[in-house]
Amino acid sequence: MAEYEAVIGLEVHAQLTTNTKLFCACPTRFGDGPNENVCPVCAGMPGVLPVMNDRALEYACKMAMAIDATINLTSIFARKNYFYPDLPKGYQISQYEQPLCEHGRVEIETAAGTKTVGVTRIHMEEDAGKNIHSSTENKSFVDLNRCGVPLIEIVSEPDMRSSEEAVAYLKELRSILVYLGVCDGNMEEGSFRCDANVSVRRKGDKNFGTRAEIKNVNSFRNVQRAIDYEIGRHIDCIEDGEAIVQETRLFDANKGVTQSMRGKEEAHDYRYFPDPDLVPVRVEPSWIERWRGELPELPAAKRERFIAKYGLPEYDAGVLTAEREVADYFEAAVGVHPEPKKIANWIMSELMRELNECGESIRGCRLRPEGLAKLVRIIDSGAISGKIGKQIFGDLFRSGEDPEAYIAAKGLAQISDAGALDAVVDEVLAACPGEVARYKAGEKKLTGFFVGQIMQKTKGQANPKLVGELLAAKLG
Amino acid sequence: MSDLTTKTLIDMRDALATGAVTAEAAVQACLGRVAATEPRIDALLSVQAEAALARARELDAAGPAPDKPLWGVPVIVKDVLCAKGAPTTCGSRILENFVPPFDATAVARLKDAGAIILAKANMDEFAMGSSTENSAYKVTKNPWDLSRVPGGSSGGSGAAVAACQCFATLGTDTGGSIRLPAAFCGCVGLKPSYGRVSRFGMVAYGSSLDQIGPLARTVADAAQVLSVIAGHDPRDSTSVDAPAPDYMAALKGLSGLKGLRIGLPREYWGEGVEPEILRACRTAIDAAVDAGATVVDVSLPHTRYAIATYYIVAMAEASSNLARFDGVRYGHRNRQAAELLDMYKRSRTEGFGDEVQRRIIIGTYVLSSGYYDAYYKKAAQVRRLIRQDFLDAYATCDVICGPTCPVPAFPIGGVVDDPLKMYLMDIFTISLNLAGLPGMSLPVGLGADSGLPVGLQIFGQSFKEDALLAAAHGLEALTPALPEPAGLA
């Protein structure tokens, strides 16, 4: 590997979160019954015409602004022609020669520091439907619900040199899209899909090697696996003196390998040409200004602010800002109890562990930021120990109950009243005359024994600091 | 012939509006005329007799509505226009059983204006042809001579209106498909500016060229229909977002010929045009000059590139537009095919006629990788030059006139086996589509030798259909009315 270098470029298809499709008024909802969200336009009936959804244009432009891309004030929809049952018109409306946006960039954190990945272009296009092949009968079915759903395709420059960089780029891209609210980033439902172009060359070479395109890899982990497999395959080919074929390959996640789907000579000739049914897309500079004013704080800026404002380590800031909702949660909690590092720790350890276990997102989390902040404040006040806090966290997470009410109801508050503890300490010392004698003879490590006895009697609720003080006073 | 069916649309509309004629009587008269003429001319692919009568009774029950300018008027639309619940075949086997669940915007606007859709008119398959012989179902005969073609591709629409089966029809014009049948059948045909009438619900042939327009027996009738169907449609992005004027008012308000500068392009008035056509057209121009118009010599120098340009653009777009007819969701499907590719091939081979297949293949070729720049892109550039020709000419004139077609209606079977010769029928009509401008064909008499109608073509300026109609209205008044079509006499 040392003498080789991988060259990776990524094409990402992100589904926009518009309520309706790109060229008709059908809903974009996921999960409805087959062909429920279909009209004559998206079903490609004879005579129908597309009309562009302005909201999709706005979302695509916001993404362009977020990655510093140039928005072309005039862009053109083109037809990509091919036959397939899930493509009712026999062509997909996309953009080809004059895309909506060009020349963007995304900054990623790598082992070697910050790196800029260039974005060649962003264009708008419609999604195709879905073919479903029956496993019991010799039949295929077509579901057109997804047909016409708006996508943006984000094409990177071949700037990445490892699968780690590729995944870092994808994560950053996804995070920006979700921050903007223009894509839900859901990879399982196909809202965020990726094709990877991979080639390998000897280090120092100026020319690229022959590339293979890996289609539709549906998780960050699989992107990494597919790219690593492909890099290894290319190196093997080079070492064995075999020619690498330019082709499209599919990743088999079960076997962990890529397999040839079609070669260059079988590549489709899509016969792109400007779609005469749609006028050129025009963007007014005043719209761009308005949209720019609506942009939220983006992940990179938020990360920097979290470090500067809250004094968080870089790592914590990165974790907390990866998702906008986590960052919002953190800030809401800090607003209630201004202890950023403690709040960050609770979110990153206890809260994220619970969320992962139940597979939920922070949005639906019953324990609200105020609750988490109160819990941390109660621990800080000494009313309960950190240990108890961790023990009760699961209950609070599941119920969303107010921590104060919960602690009171369970009688978990620490006994911090010297008068109340005084009697317990006396009782324990009276019950253990032997140990008291040994302590007084110099066996000071017996303090731990006495504390243990007291904790046992108070079911762990005695304030440990107060117990220490009382013992010291009584044993002289 | 029934005295009701020979009325102009305007007269019929007025008779309906005053209650002198009921909508049902109008429909009955037209259905009677259809029954009498259809066996001879084969202009229609389907007749919606029951639905039309039901609609007429509904209208009669409610009474005439002054806000509905076509209240109770029976009309026929070309079978390329979707009409809810009525078969829409486009003259093709591949759509033999297709019934659209929606109305084309132009059809919906006719209905909203009170018009009654009586039937769907025959056409060349997917509007590809100049004679209506490419229909998969029947060959329409020219009412003036039943052995001749009515022109195409809106031949059914031309023949139906000439035969008084109704009071106006809708056709579509991609390269002359309204104007040529109008010329051959002796009626008025208007192709509006590209974007004037919504294309929604018109099954696309060449999307950047297609326009819907009226065929009628008088200029005023055509103006009335255009007033109803014109105007922006939010469902068609290429329809122009500008108010459409009241074209009936324009006919009354504009002076017509006095001071009108008529450009005569030298490319249209010479070689290759039948003398009787030149003579009839010239007579009309001379009459206009007598009435106060002036004649200007103009040139449209890129005319000779128009046919090549047109066929590249139209076929390229058609190859893509017709891809949806794949047998998957609707239309003809071959049931014997063992696998997907085979199903596509067999369904489309069986469903499409020869001319359609020819155009799909040529269109696919010109868009192919490596040929796109040489053909499609070049054609798009030449197209701009052709439009510029017109704009330059309009610097010195108000309208441009020439023959609609170099020849009168030709015999059925006479040209159909020679595609190139057939394409040349469009030589004077296609530039207008490439330029996106409005134009009309106006009957200016019968050919001295053939006795067949001759059409004078009038080109207007962009979105100035009102001025175009006014000029045509003025010319119409100077030309003698045509007799009853000889083939039906």
Side-chain angles (χ1 to χ4, degrees), chain A residues 43-45 47 79 81 88 269, chain B residues 201 320-321 324 329-330 344 369:
Chain A
M45 295 288 254
R79 293 186 184 176
N81 295 284
D269 179 354
Chain B
S320 174
N321 284 334
R324 70 187 59 196
R329 297 164 313 286
Y330 49 77
Y344 285 148
S369 166

Side-chain angles (χ1 to χ4, degrees), chain B residues 66-308:
Chain B
D67 59 328
K68 294 185 184 299
L70 296 177
W71 190 90
V73 177
V75 297
I76 290 171
V77 301
K78 188 178 182 180
D79 209 32
V80 75
L81 298 171
C82 289
K84 192 173 179 176
T88 299
T89 69
C90 299
S92 181
R93 290 275 172 225
I94 211 157
L95 284 179
E96 189 157 11
N97 298 310
F98 178 68
V99 178
F102 59 93
D103 277 328
T105 299
V107 171
R109 286 183 179 175
L110 285 177
K111 288 180 176 175
D112 288 347
I116 298 169
I117 310 294
L118 196 70
K120 306 290 297 287
N122 194 22
M123 56 185 285
D124 284 303
E125 185 176 5
F126 287 108
M128 297 178 183
S130 306
S131 68
T132 313
E133 290 165 288
N134 291 336
S135 168
Y137 298 100
K138 50 177 72 165
V139 174
T140 298
K141 288 86 187 175
N142 191 318
W144 290 86
D145 178 344
L146 300 179
S147 71
R148 290 177 185 267
V149 303
S153 65
S154 311
S157 300
V161 81
C164 296
Q165 292 183 342
C166 63
F167 299 92
T169 59
L170 289 188
T172 62
D173 191 316
T174 306
S177 284
I178 288 174
R179 290 161 287 155
L180 189 67
F184 281 12
C185 296
C187 50
V188 174
L190 166 62
K191 182 204 95 76
S193 307
Y194 184 79
R196 181 52 98 194
V197 178
S198 168
R199 294 184 296 115
F200 187 86
M202 167 193 179
V203 182
Y205 159 27
S207 310
S208 71
L209 304 159
D210 297 337
Q211 268 293 291
I212 300 168
L215 292 96
R217 294 195 286 272
T218 70
V219 173
D221 290 357
Q224 180 58 69
V225 174
L226 182 63
S227 294
V228 167
I229 62 172
H232 179 62
D233 176 8
R235 291 187 296 180
D236 176 1
S237 327
T238 66
S239 78
V240 171
D241 195 358
D246 178 348
Y247 298 106
M248 292 306 289
L251 291 190
K252 291 184 191 110
L254 293 170
S255 63
L257 298 178
K258 192 124 190 90
L260 184 76
R261 296 171 302 163
I262 302 175
L264 301 182
R266 56 193 83 120
E267 293 82 3
Y268 284 59
W269 288 87
E271 240 178 285
V273 186
E274 291 282 331
E276 65 162 28
I277 303 266
L278 283 177
R279 220 171 306 139
C281 290
R282 189 70 225 189
T283 304
I285 299 295
D286 290 345
V289 171
D290 289 346
T294 54
V295 163
V296 188
D297 177 42
V298 297
S299 175
L300 302 170
H302 293 93
T303 297
R304 62 197 170 111
Y305 302 114
I307 287 198

Side-chain angles (χ1 to χ4, degrees), chain A residues 2 34 61 83 100 105-106 114 123 128 160 170 182 189 216 231 249 252 268 302 347 354 387 418 429 468:
Chain A
C61 286
F83 285 95
L100 181 65
R105 61 196 164 85
V106 171
T114 304
H123 69 248
M160 287 150 281
L170 286 176
V182 303
E189 290 176 9
N216 255 337
I231 292 171
R249 297 176 74 85
D252 182 333
H268 290 124
K302 202 180 278 281
I347 291 175
E354 292 286 355
K387 196 175 162 203
L429 294 180

